[in-house]
Amino acid sequence: MARLPATVTEVASELPSLSICNRHARARVFLHGAHVASFRPVGEAEVLWMSIRSQFAPGKPIRGGVPICFPWFGMHPEGGDRPPHGVVRLSPWTITSADDLPDGQTRLVLGLDSPPFTLAYTVTVGAELELALEVRNTGNAPASFEEALHTYFDVADVRRASIEGLAGAAFIDKTDGSATKTQSGALTFTAETDRLFQGTTSACTIVDPVLGRRIVVAKKGSRSTVVWNPWVAKAARMPDFGDDEWPSMLCIEAANAADHRVTLAPGASHLLSQTVSVQRLAR
Ligand code: BG6
């Protein structure tokens, strides 16, 4: 175990986690999946959504927060019993370092070997939440992967929320036989939504008029964006998702998937990062 600074407390349980409390924010990070489960800037309501039905058990994904999808996104192309969204969200990561920064932020680095890749995940907790996943190919041959920071956001009512920043972008509609479509204007939610946007590198903004806030989700090293809400029927089919919880969440995922999977030469690395910040809406 790395030495922990004053702002980080280890919480022992079947799934160990780190509780972070500094002058900017509070956060919770499970070593299982390097899973950021909570982020609450000082004076602000919780930003990340977590299901009351989530399991917190070895071998099971956590439903909410920020699962890391890697090295494939969604179902594995060869199917079989491979878990959806890859194996690293089910794996115990280790703490490489934990530090208080001079500006009062806290920085954790967690690591995992997922041959032929080595992963380093840097979580910086301040007024903003910065997540950076570095993937290095430590093998002897080129190797490719898909990835996503599958971020669940808390909203007061998804039917009244919208997402700006995707207008005009092409997407694969997974609720309509993977038809290719173009986003018209701001994205609003009126039914199950499962969209894989391709060639999208700019920030998205969640506008939540009920909570009176905008959540800006900026990213680097990502060419795909996924937006997801299961709505009524799919929520009811998921055992770890409460039947009535779907209005209170939406996912925006900074990803590299499908046509934008990443191929690394031996020794090469790739960095995917996402920054989450909250702005109050003028009343
Ligand atoms: C999204 C996918 O990223 O994750 C959806 O686009 C999927 O199709 C959702 O249902 C949740 O996946 P899981 O494996 O965590 O239930």
Side-chain angles (χ1 to χ4, degrees):
M1 166 73 83
R3 184 194 59 82
L4 299 180
T7 60
V8 182
T9 309
E10 190 188 9
V11 183
S13 77
E14 189 179 17
L15 289 189
S17 64
L18 299 173
S19 174
I20 297 146
C21 180
N22 61 35
R23 65 176 143 97
H24 302 290
R26 291 172 178 263
R28 181 103 180 259
V29 181
F30 285 84
L31 300 189
H32 177 72
H35 199 114
V36 179
S38 169
F39 171 60
R40 186 170 184 168
V42 167
E44 186 53 66
E46 176 63 54
V47 174
L48 302 178
W49 181 88
M50 179 61 64
S51 173
I52 54 168
R53 299 281 299 277
S54 178
Q55 303 179 73
F56 292 92
K60 305 285 185 189
I62 294 172
R63 177 69 69 194
V66 191
I68 300 175
C69 306
F70 182 94
W72 59 88
F73 179 78
M75 304 309 291
H76 191 283
E78 290 162 26
D81 57 3
R82 296 176 180 87
H85 290 327
V87 289
V88 308
R89 69 173 173 165
L90 307 174
S91 303
W93 293 52
T94 55
I95 305 170
T96 306
S97 64
D99 293 291
D100 288 338
L101 303 184
D103 59 4
Q105 298 190 98
T106 306
R107 176 162 293 158
L108 303 178
V109 181
L110 304 180
L112 181 74
D113 282 332
S114 180
F117 304 106
T118 297
L119 310 185
Y121 190 45
T122 303
V123 176
T124 306
V125 177
E128 301 182 345
L129 175 68
E130 292 177 35
L131 306 173
L133 179 65
E134 185 187 46
V135 179
R136 184 173 298 278
N137 178 3
T138 50
N140 300 320
S144 66
F145 61 87
E146 296 177 295
E147 60 183 345
L149 300 175
H150 189 313
T151 312
Y152 289 74
F153 291 98
D154 238 334
V155 290
D157 184 343
V158 74
R159 294 161 291 197
R160 296 186 59 189
S162 59
I163 299 174
E164 298 174 346
L166 294 166
F171 67 89
I172 295 165
D173 188 347
K174 289 166 89 177
T175 68
D176 188 13
S178 292
T180 301
K181 302 179 181 176
T182 301
Q183 178 63 40
S184 171
L187 193 160
T188 53
F189 295 82
T190 55
E192 180 185 347
T193 302
D194 195 349
R195 300 182 182 181
L196 170 58
F197 290 87
Q198 293 290 53
T200 48
T201 56
S202 53
C204 289
T205 301
I206 300 167
V207 181
D208 185 337
V210 183
L211 286 182
R213 69 182 182 183
R214 295 160 61 90
I215 302 175
V216 180
V217 189
K219 60 180 188 167
K220 291 181 183 161
S222 160
R223 299 174 70 197
S224 314
T225 307
V226 180
V227 176
W228 180 62
N229 178 282
W231 218 253
V232 180
K234 188 162 183 174
R237 288 196 300 273
M238 291 189 289
D240 60 345
F241 196 115
D243 291 358
D244 301 327
E245 289 187 302
W246 62 268
S248 61
M249 56 71 66
L250 61 83
C251 287
I252 298 179
E253 310 171 35
N256 288 300
D259 292 348
H260 295 311
R261 63 189 294 116
V262 176
T263 301
L264 290 177
S269 63
H270 176 270
L271 187 66
L272 161 68
S273 66
Q274 174 181 268
T275 303
V276 175
S277 55
V278 180
Q279 302 169 349
R280 299 309 305 171
L281 284 173
R283 293 281 187 186

